[in-house]
Amino acid sequence: MSKTKKTIIATLIVALIMPSAWAHVKNEMGERIAKTGSNNLPACAVCHGEHGQGDIKVGYPRLAGMNAAYLDQQLNLYAQDLRQNLVMKDYAQKLSVEERRAVSAYYARQQANPPHVYL
C-alpha cells in the first residue's frame, strides 16, 4: 500500500474518532492545494492570487469570500466537463471530491477585498 493511501486511511480513522480533527485536516488540505498545488498541479494562487483576490485584467476571477458550496459546484461542473475551460477542467478532474470541497472552503474563508474603482 502506498504512503498516500496509508495517510488517507489514517486520516479517515482520526476523522471518525474526532470530527474536529477532520475539520482541521480539511482546512490544511484546502490551504495546501491553494498555495502549493496537488496531484502534479500548480497552486491555485498562480492564477487566482495568493489570497484568492483574482486578476480581472487577465480574466482570473476572485475566489476569496465566495460561497463554498458555489465554488465546489463550479469545480464539479468543470470536472464533469459541463462547464468549459481547459485549464480548470484539468484541475478539477485531478482533484478528488474531498480536495475540491476543501479548497472551496478555504477560499470561502478568505477575506474578500473590495474591487478597485478607477475614476
Side-chain angles (χ1 to χ4, degrees):
M1 185 180 307
S2 72
K3 182 178 179 181
T4 302
K5 287 183 182 180
K6 288 179 184 179
T7 302
I8 291 170
I9 291 169
T11 302
L12 291 173
I13 290 169
V14 169
L16 292 172
I17 297 168
M18 299 176 60
S20 63
W22 177 241
H24 181 72
V25 168
K26 280 182 64 176
N27 289 344
E28 287 183 353
M29 180 190 309
E31 183 174 8
R32 177 183 47 79
I33 293 165
K35 292 183 176 182
T36 63
S38 179
N39 301 323
N40 295 320
L41 296 168
C44 303
V46 170
C47 297
H48 294 285
E50 185 178 352
H51 302 287
Q53 70 273 17
D55 188 342
I56 197 70
K57 290 181 263 177
V58 291
Y60 301 128
R62 175 184 55 83
L63 303 178
M66 296 190 77
N67 181 283
Y70 172 78
L71 292 173
D72 185 50
Q73 178 187 42
Q74 299 314 301
L75 286 173
N76 289 328
L77 291 173
Y78 285 126
Q80 297 167 24
D81 204 19
L82 296 173
R83 183 168 179 183
Q84 304 298 307
N85 182 294
L86 292 175
V87 173
M88 289 305 303
K89 174 184 173 183
D90 189 46
Y91 258 81
Q93 287 180 342
K94 288 182 179 177
L95 295 174
S96 70
V97 170
E98 282 303 316
E99 288 173 319
R100 292 195 295 264
R101 285 184 189 142
V103 76
S104 296
Y106 170 78
Y107 279 117
R109 290 189 306 275
Q110 301 309 298
Q111 179 71 31
N113 295 327
H116 295 284
V117 177
Y118 300 99
L119 300 175

